[in-house]
Amino acid sequence: MIMARMLVATTALAVLAGTGLAWSAKQDFDSGFTHSTALGEDAPRSGGGAVNILLIGLDTRKDLNGNDLPKEVLDQLHAGDGTEGGYNANSLILLHIPADKSKVVAFSIPRDNYVPVTGIPGYQQVKIKEAYGLKKAAVQARLIERGEKDPVVLERRGREAGRASIVTTVRNLVGVPIDRFAEISLAGFYDLATAVGGVDVCLNHAVDDSEFSGATFPAGRQHLDGSQALAFVRQRHGLLNGDLDRTHRQQAFLTSVAKSLKDSGTLTNLSQLTELMDVAHRDVVLSDGWNLFDFARDMGSAGSVPVEFRTLPVVRYDVIDGQDVNIVDPAAIKREVRAAFGQEVPKTTAPTPTSVVDVHNVGTANGQAAALSAALTSRGYGAGLIGSGDPSGGQYSAITYGLGAADDARALAELLGGLPVSASPSIEDGRIEVALGADFIMPAELSPTTSTTTPPTTTASGSTPLPDQGKPLSTNIGDTIPCVN
């Protein structure tokens, strides 16, 4: 959802620049956004001019100060009375824009992916969508204990913590830097779809989800107003591939919004553009330091950039603590994302490992260190020490190695999903030390309980099909609208 907002701003500004129209309020445009410092000053950044952008669609019925949205807005959203929904990041899309702007790659991240989290009391793994709201609630509770009573202060500081949490969680899952992010809520999505006059969509099958999202549409191509468009991307009941089909709908929506803007003439109508910018200022939060006007100018100079939409793979569906979740293989995800983003995969020259591997648990679940040691021993690595390290450094996993173990260490880092690897004079010759942080999940190929032939999960209604993230959707922004489930 949020990507569409960015497209509105960037495409609109690019067209204005291309047609010679003056955007005299450039400074007012950029300063009109709410900005966030949640990325952190010490977070890793992309090099060589490439940019990775996380787009966050937040399922909340509150405004930025924590106030309930007006009833007339909630009625249009078909989203309850303001007490439902919490602060789930139900739409997550990671964009990669290479330095030469030759092609944008966009990965949708299914909201029910079951992943590790850090810094949330009482939780080690959650659905990825929950990393925002759980952290927000924990920080607000701590502030209240310290005597903070101002609801606006609680809301703003809680949401900043939630943003930092979701950024960290996504970064740990995909294994690449996140340079910028943008956030939009349900109300913002509705405002956008309404401002562009609705969107055209295409459905493979008729749907009737009137009880939940309000999505009740026939098969085929059709035009949806703002309220209907929100129901289109929010539907999760009755979809063949559930959570994965939601990601395809979000991708289709983004393409349709861009096409509507292109075909309607909105991009050359200054009054309509001003309305869109007002909506953006009201509903969007940007990472600190992101100058959207300059970004739009740079993107506009690249012309019609092709976009490839993809969805992160899911190994299988499962039920944990009574909730439907997606089981994922983080190592495989890291490899796929890095390859799609054009990052070089390290090459190794040691076909048979000769090093001894010590494994230390500094933040992951109990038993993971022993399980990994056993798995590596079966692959030819020497069995080393198994133990616990300093939990204060348990946020990230890492590999260090001694003299003579460089090739084995690099191969092991790749096997474990691209973990950071470095030499250390404190490690004995021929030995490797693996620190397992809270971001670690055992790769599927090393887990004794997971295989590529895992049968479909069954429910009371019968068998659930194996996850199908679908083929990549390649398009130029503003072109063909794909048909989806």
Side-chain angles (χ1 to χ4, degrees), residues 384-437:
L385 302 174
I386 301 172
S388 298
D390 180 5
S392 65
Q395 186 170 0
Y396 303 111
S397 302
I399 293 176
T400 51
Y401 62 89
L403 187 65
D407 288 338
D408 284 352
R410 294 189 186 102
L412 179 56
E414 189 61 24
L415 177 65
L416 299 182
L419 295 186
V421 57
S422 60
S424 173
S426 64
I427 305 296
E428 293 182 23
D429 294 355
R431 295 185 83 95
I432 299 170
E433 184 173 295
V434 182
L436 301 183

Side-chain angles (χ1 to χ4, degrees), residues 1-229:
M1 294 187 290
I2 178 64
M3 183 181 175
R5 181 73 63 191
M6 189 188 73
L7 290 173
V8 169
T10 58
T11 309
L13 292 172
V15 171
L16 282 174
T19 57
L21 292 174
W23 191 266
S24 59
K26 172 184 181 297
Q27 189 64 36
D28 290 341
F29 170 73
D30 281 320
S31 63
F33 287 100
T34 297
H35 285 86
S36 164
T37 60
L39 273 181
E41 294 182 359
D42 299 328
R45 295 290 193 271
S46 298
V51 179
N52 296 334
I53 303 172
L54 179 63
L55 310 172
I56 306 165
L58 195 64
D59 190 12
T60 179
R61 283 73 165 163
K62 310 283 186 179
D63 65 16
L64 290 174
N65 291 324
N67 300 312
D68 288 341
L69 297 175
K71 184 179 184 302
E72 59 270 21
V73 174
L74 290 172
D75 288 344
Q76 289 296 319
L77 300 183
H78 201 87
D81 61 2
T83 62
E84 305 173 31
Y87 289 83
N88 287 329
N90 276 347
S91 298
L92 293 167
I93 299 177
L94 181 64
L95 292 168
H96 173 73
I97 304 173
D100 63 4
K101 301 177 181 62
S102 56
K103 182 178 76 170
V104 175
V105 178
F107 271 99
S108 291
I109 304 172
R111 65 175 193 162
D112 289 341
N113 284 1
Y114 196 60
V115 300
V117 289
T118 61
I120 303 178
Y123 297 91
Q124 286 190 315
Q125 282 185 262
V126 301
K127 294 182 181 183
I128 197 166
K129 67 176 183 179
E130 298 172 326
Y132 190 117
L134 291 174
K135 182 65 174 183
K136 174 183 180 293
V139 167
Q140 287 183 314
R142 187 165 66 246
L143 289 172
I144 291 172
E145 288 176 358
R146 294 175 180 175
E148 181 60 64
K149 297 180 180 179
D150 188 330
V152 175
V153 171
L154 291 170
E155 181 72 14
R156 292 180 176 178
R157 292 185 63 179
R159 287 180 71 159
E160 273 292 88
R163 293 177 190 120
S165 178
I166 196 68
V167 168
T168 297
T169 303
V170 171
R171 186 169 55 222
N172 288 347
L173 175 65
V174 298
V176 298
I178 295 175
D179 305 293
R180 297 169 182 161
F181 73 81
E183 171 194 301
I184 188 172
S185 65
L186 281 178
F189 171 83
Y190 168 76
D191 287 341
L192 168 64
T194 300
V196 300
V199 296
D200 294 322
V201 302
C202 178
L203 281 171
N204 291 323
H205 313 285
V207 296
D208 185 353
D209 190 40
S210 52
E211 183 179 356
F212 297 101
S213 66
T216 305
F217 309 121
R221 295 186 178 273
Q222 54 210 284
H223 185 81
L224 307 182
D225 63 21
S227 180
Q228 292 171 324

Side-chain angles (χ1 to χ4, degrees), residues 272-293:
Q272 292 180 14
L273 282 173
T274 300
E275 180 184 353
L276 286 174
M277 295 307 105
D278 289 342
V279 168
H281 289 163
R282 183 169 66 248
D283 298 327
V284 174
V285 177
L286 298 177
S287 54
D288 203 28
W290 188 359
N291 184 306
L292 200 57
F293 191 101

